[in-house]
Amino acid sequence: MKLSVLIYEDNPLLRESVSTMIQSNRDLNLQAAFENVLNVEAEIKSYNPDFILMDIDMPGMSGIEAVQKIRKFNTKVPIVMLTVFDDNENIFNAICAG
């Protein structure tokens, strides 16, 4: 059984690269890749992924805010944060968000 994955990444090149890596893994099924998290609740409820790859810094709503929103209706789905930040504050905020 393949694990289903959703990606949230605003950088088109990175989104495509990560999508390609997931699609090349026979144990993973890329359900969708989104450039923002503005419809994250509807998307998570619709796709019901096994896990999510989430960028921290995105336009409109940050990945951290999206995780907080997701955790209000889904406390089980694992979320792996993607980031170019190496500062402790963003990492700490992501962990606190769930």
Side-chain angles (χ1 to χ4, degrees):
M1 183 173 119
K2 291 185 174 192
L3 294 175
S4 59
V5 183
L6 287 183
I7 298 172
Y8 289 91
E9 171 60 60
D10 66 318
N11 179 308
L13 282 173
L14 184 54
R15 186 173 60 247
E16 183 62 31
S17 296
V18 174
S19 296
T20 300
M21 286 190 308
I22 289 171
Q23 290 168 328
S24 69
N25 186 317
R26 66 176 182 235
D27 296 324
L28 301 176
N29 174 41
L30 178 62
Q31 292 180 301
F34 301 101
E35 64 184 338
N36 63 58
V37 291
L38 299 178
N39 298 309
V40 71
E41 184 172 355
E43 292 158 355
I44 301 298
K45 288 179 178 179
S46 174
Y47 286 99
N48 194 28
D50 293 315
F51 73 94
I52 299 165
L53 295 175
M54 177 76 67
D55 183 20
I56 285 181
D57 187 33
M58 286 188 287
M61 180 189 325
S62 74
I64 293 170
E65 292 169 311
V67 170
Q68 292 169 333
K69 191 172 191 173
I70 292 166
R71 289 298 179 231
K72 289 180 181 175
F73 66 89
N74 186 325
T75 59
K76 304 254 188 240
V77 64
I79 302 170
V80 176
M81 300 304 284
L82 302 173
T83 185
V84 296
F85 293 116
D86 62 357
D87 66 279
N88 292 335
E89 184 177 355
N90 275 306
I91 306 303
F92 180 74
N93 289 337
I95 292 168
C96 289

